[in-house]
Amino acid sequence: MTAQLNPRGDVAVLVPAAGAGVRLGPGAPKALRLLAGEPLLVHAVRRIAAAPSVHTIVVAAPATEVEAVRAMLAPVAPVTVVPGGAERQASVAAALAAVPAGPEIVLVHDAARALTPPHLVESVAAAVRDGHDAVIPVLPVVDTIKEVDATERVLGTVDRSALRAVQTPQGFRRSVLVAAHRSAGDALTDDAGLVEKQGIAVTCVPGSELALKITRPFDLALAEHLLTTGA
Ligand code: CTP
Ligand code: MG
């Protein structure tokens, strides 16, 4: 059944889904690869659409797959699909340009984080609603981290207590994200990085293990397992 989005919601979610998935190995673009029989993008959009504040979803699809993605998502939720770009940042910019007037909170969420629970979408949006210009979900870093030189010689041990691993959705006051993209220079993999460069404070909220990014075959296997255990 197609989900209904909330016409009174204040959140637009941009879903960059135009990447090739090189690290996942040969095959279709990553967002279209199957996880438990359904494309990663279907899993991702279904969970976004289940978040009650979401008014609009804009997907940036691989340029050759726009029609296929529209057809694929039509039974899942009402979404706008635009062609993505060569870099993630260009895909996000294309999706941002397609957001209609209305939502004043914009979240950017990787299709590759296909099992992200709806409550994380809500908690990031709520922090923006509470007055934070830019909000990122984070987890503590569990491994010991070493800095090394080009020959793999250890230069030192980094203080892990001050480090965080960053996930998506990343949330922004709309005008802040628009300004950051307008003045974007080098391509970054992270929208909060663009906002940081503007000198704007970025706030952390607790992330979720389920928001893992499916990057390598191991992650896909882990996601399959998590789905069989109820994710
Ligand atoms: N993405 C995008 N447009 C691009 C590159 C990436 O929309 N030109 C999206 C991906 O589809 C993904 C998210 O950005 O949902 C995070 O990127 P990543 O995990 O690196 O995915 P890929 O770029 O597809 O993977 P790889 O780097 O292994 O090729
Ligand atoms: Mg990539």
Side-chain angles (χ1 to χ4, degrees):
M1 200 184 71
T2 308
Q4 298 297 307
L5 301 183
N6 179 0
R8 295 207 304 237
D10 56 358
V11 176
V13 185
L14 316 181
V15 187
V22 171
R23 288 170 288 179
L24 207 48
K30 180 159 72 179
L32 308 182
R33 302 277 187 105
L34 300 185
L35 166 61
E38 291 185 302
L40 288 182
L41 183 56
V42 167
H43 289 279
V45 166
R46 188 182 292 129
R47 286 166 177 75
I48 296 165
S53 299
V54 174
H55 172 282
T56 298
I57 301 173
V58 184
V59 173
T64 56
E65 307 290 340
V66 171
E67 282 309 323
V69 166
R70 260 184 209 133
M72 188 179 93
L73 293 177
V76 181
V79 297
T80 301
V81 183
V82 299
E87 305 284 346
R88 181 184 181 281
Q89 193 171 301
S91 297
V92 173
L96 182 58
V99 177
E104 288 304 322
I105 297 171
V106 179
L107 270 50
V108 185
H109 182 44
D110 294 331
R113 298 183 189 271
L115 300 186
T116 301
H119 73 75
L120 190 60
V121 173
E122 286 300 318
S123 69
V124 170
V128 179
R129 203 175 287 122
D130 283 350
H132 298 288
D133 282 340
V135 176
I136 58 175
V138 302
L139 291 178
V141 172
V142 292
D143 291 313
T144 297
I145 305 287
K146 303 282 186 191
E147 187 182 0
V148 299
D149 68 12
T151 69
E152 295 288 306
R153 202 175 68 100
V154 171
L155 297 175
T157 304
V158 181
D159 176 13
R160 169 175 86 189
S161 69
L163 298 179
R164 300 290 180 269
V166 178
Q167 304 179 318
T168 74
Q170 300 190 352
F172 306 92
R173 196 152 57 79
R174 181 174 183 160
S175 57
V176 165
L177 187 63
V178 168
H181 271 268
R182 197 177 288 138
S183 59
D186 302 342
L188 294 179
T189 57
D190 167 54
D191 302 281
L194 295 178
V195 169
E196 284 158 43
K197 284 190 171 181
Q198 303 280 102
I200 289 169
V202 177
T203 303
C204 298
V205 297
S208 164
E209 304 276 9
L210 289 172
L212 79 150
K213 184 156 73 71
I214 297 170
T215 305
R216 300 182 187 87
F218 176 85
D219 306 319
L220 199 53
L222 176 58
E224 292 260 10
H225 173 73
L226 291 169
L227 267 177
T228 62
T229 58

